[in-house]
Amino acid sequence: MRPTRRDMLKTLAGGTALAWGGSFMHLAQAAEQSEAPAEPPGPVPEPEPRIERFERMAYGMFIHWGLYSLLGRGEWVMNQEKIPANEYRRLRNIFTASDFDGRTIAGIARRAGQKYITLTTRHHDGFSLYDTRGLTDYDAVHSPAARDLVEDFVEGCRAEGISPFFYHTTLDWDHPDFDADFDAYLDYLHASVEILCTQYGDIGGFWFDGNWSKADADWKEDRLYGMIREHQPEAMIINNTGLHKRGHVGHPEIDSTTFEQGRPEPMDRRGMPKYISAEMCQTMNMHWGIAKNDYNYMSVQDIIENLCACRKVGANYLLNVGPTAEGAIPDYERAALERAGQWLGLHGNPIYNGKPCGVAGPGADFGLDADGMLFLFVHHLRLGHGQQAGEVQGPGPRMFTGVARDVSSVTWLDTGEDLEFEKDGSNLNVTATGFPYGTNTVVRVARVS
Ligand code: GLC
């Protein structure tokens, strides 16, 4: 069912992504379509269990690591510097993976409050971190590392209670068939993914990337996704739509849309044939693969605020790290992730289980419903005695709309302090107090009972 043109224009300012004919279309685009039928939109479909589970994982670690990490100039270095394939391939001879330890990485993710890790099992340079079992010798077992790094990763994840996800490129700068014989290349890709589906036990999901490189090609997605469903029925299937098509969904088997390096937008799922989740992936500096001279890093505050911005619209947050040449998570990334993880220790329940419920606050503030309980997220506070200057709002009243339920108390999760409030119809006006001296939790969350 399609929304009316007036509906589209009304919500245009919010930048809502819109389900239309089974795929997402940004409202700005939709509004350009001149005539839209006036039927009311259909119901929001129920998420399938794997999608529901994925949404409750909420926050994951993205890992970009491969031969390019040896050069330390980002994962596109082969393409950007036009390094010939036969020259680039020599990196394999010095790839030791001496610091790569799945358990250590998964432990960092656990302390960061992340529930899943998406690892680049093969990136665009064509080199595989897994044992390709004779498909090619361009893999980790044919390097000085001489081991299956994906196996190590999966075992480490399982030991730490983290769900392993596999990123796999679909484009390939190394494989001659990618340009010469695309059907033969797709057979190779299919066989590669089949190894990942059958050799590592239950996998949380598959995250593909690269179909945008041949936007008009027939990628035989039915065949690829059909094979995944057969071997891994509980795995999420994601295929990155790329920078220019954030929020779009293509193939009907896809379970989540992506918002690469973006702000996730609210999704209108009314009338969709199936419930699709959303995930925003983001670099912690300006590169996915390690870039030794990129100092443009996020702060702990940024991580917390970005995570909240994702959950505000019900999206997952997939935050990237680029391990060193040897495979260790660099110090800054580890420290920042673990520090943000302490915030999650205080605020985990509403972050993992909270869903948008029509409760809106001023500015960045918002409400989420976690299994029947309402939580309010309050930004830009300051120390209670006014020491810190320059915020937009500071302590004081915050008006939340759309609160239909009765309210008897509003309590900060971090200190347990009860807040004053007034309820007027579905408006809830809360007097937010600032951070007690000695604390600054960036975003404070209050439980409404
Ligand atoms: C882009 C880049 C790729 C990266 C991906 C992550 O598609 O090409 O290098 O892996 O984004 O979202």
Side-chain angles (χ1 to χ4, degrees):
M1 300 287 183
R2 295 175 176 189
T4 62
R5 184 179 169 80
R6 178 191 280 187
D7 284 344
M8 292 175 199
L9 292 171
K10 221 166 36 187
T11 34
L12 199 57
T16 309
L18 179 72
W20 195 4
S23 69
F24 283 102
M25 175 182 294
H26 291 277
L27 279 166
Q29 265 171 285
E32 282 166 17
Q33 313 262 342
S34 53
E35 284 316 316
E39 309 105 70
V44 174
E46 279 295 313
E48 292 167 56
R50 70 175 173 283
I51 299 178
E52 168 80 19
R53 275 197 300 276
F54 179 67
E55 288 198 328
R56 285 182 192 258
M57 286 199 264
Y59 182 31
M61 176 189 283
F62 210 170
I63 298 182
H64 277 71
W65 186 58
L67 292 187
Y68 45 83
S69 311
L70 296 168
L71 298 177
R73 299 193 294 276
E75 83 290 356
W76 270 68
V77 62
M78 177 181 175
N79 173 286
Q80 292 291 300
E81 298 182 10
K82 301 189 173 45
I83 306 175
N86 55 357
E87 192 182 312
Y88 185 91
R89 271 178 164 252
R90 284 191 221 127
L91 291 170
R92 176 183 47 173
N93 305 332
I94 52 166
F95 184 70
T96 65
S98 53
D99 289 341
F100 185 83
D101 179 44
R103 181 80 194 256
T104 303
I105 293 173
I108 294 170
R110 180 177 51 72
R111 286 189 293 282
Q114 297 169 320
K115 301 293 188 191
Y116 61 107
I117 305 179
T118 306
L119 171 70
T120 49
T121 60
R122 179 189 299 163
H123 202 263
H124 307 336
D125 63 5
F127 179 77
S128 304
L129 297 184
Y130 56 99
D131 181 353
T132 57
R133 291 163 168 85
L135 270 186
T136 166
D137 61 6
Y138 200 36
D139 63 15
V141 292
H142 293 89
S143 76
R147 60 191 175 110
D148 185 331
L149 301 164
V150 168
E151 183 176 40
D152 185 87
F153 162 71
V154 167
E155 284 171 4
C157 284
R158 298 227 168 90
E160 295 288 340
I162 299 286
S163 178
F165 278 57
F166 292 160
Y167 170 109
H168 202 285
T169 186
T170 59
L171 75 88
D172 198 311
W173 295 326
D174 180 81
H175 202 292
D177 283 344
F178 183 68
D179 287 320
D181 184 348
F182 193 56
D183 281 347
Y185 169 75
L186 288 180
D187 289 344
Y188 167 73
L189 175 63
H190 187 91
S192 303
V193 175
E194 191 157 28
I195 291 170
L196 292 174
C197 280
T198 54
Q199 301 297 319
Y200 301 95
D202 290 342
I203 300 309
F206 288 81
W207 208 103
F208 295 105
D209 182 31
N211 285 25
W212 39 262
S213 67
K214 288 186 196 278
D216 299 326
D218 176 5
W219 287 88
K220 299 191 181 159
E221 286 175 275
D222 284 347
R223 182 173 70 143
L224 185 66
Y225 302 153
M227 185 265 292
I228 296 174
R229 290 280 186 250
E230 194 180 307
H231 295 299
Q232 297 275 346
E234 298 303 317
M236 291 285 292
I237 298 180
I238 300 172
N239 196 327
N240 185 21
T241 48
L243 289 171
H244 304 295
K245 285 193 157 188
R246 294 186 183 108
H248 285 236
V249 177
H251 194 278
E253 287 298 338
I254 303 249
D255 294 320
S256 180
T257 183
T258 60
F259 289 92
E260 178 182 342
Q261 299 280 41
R263 275 277 164 218
E265 295 167 9
M267 306 217 323
D268 184 348
R269 298 180 170 91
R270 291 173 300 174
M272 290 183 77
K274 133 180 172 189
Y275 185 104
I276 309 264
S277 58
E279 185 188 54
M280 178 176 80
C281 56
Q282 226 178 22
T283 49
M284 209 187 284
N285 56 14
M286 305 309 280
H287 294 82
W288 299 98
I290 188 170
K292 284 186 281 196
N293 285 331
D294 178 352
Y295 314 118
N296 196 350
Y297 276 100
M298 276 184 192
S299 64
V300 175
Q301 172 182 3
D302 294 327
I303 295 173
I304 294 169
E305 288 182 347
N306 289 335
L307 175 60
C308 290
C310 286
R311 301 311 280 166
K312 176 178 183 173
V313 298
N316 283 28
Y317 187 32
L318 185 62
L319 180 56
N320 182 72
V321 294
T324 61
E326 295 78 24
I329 297 197
D331 290 354
Y332 180 88
E333 283 87 329
R334 182 185 46 73
L337 286 172
E338 291 187 356
R339 204 80 174 110
Q342 291 168 3
W343 183 89
L344 269 149
L346 291 170
H347 304 102
N349 175 33
I351 285 289
Y352 301 120
N353 302 314
K355 295 195 174 200
C357 58
V359 174
D365 296 353
F366 60 94
L368 293 182
D369 180 289
D371 301 313
M373 183 85 83
L374 177 63
F375 292 89
L376 306 176
F377 287 69
V378 181
H379 296 65
H380 304 126
L381 289 165
R382 59 170 176 257
L383 294 179
H385 54 83
Q387 222 182 36
Q388 188 178 311
E391 293 80 6
V392 194
Q393 289 157 304
R398 301 285 174 113
M399 176 72 87
F400 288 85
T401 59
V403 185
R405 65 194 84 199
D406 291 337
V407 175
S408 57
S409 65
V410 181
T411 312
W412 285 137
L413 288 187
D414 54 1
T415 57
E417 182 191 0
D418 282 327
L419 303 179
E420 290 174 18
F421 66 90
E422 274 172 33
K423 183 92 192 309
D424 180 10
S426 61
N427 291 340
L428 176 63
N429 198 7
V430 174
T431 306
T433 54
F435 301 113
Y437 181 77
T439 78
N440 187 328
T441 47
V442 182
V443 178
R444 291 192 92 176
V445 183
R447 186 182 55 241
V448 176
S449 309

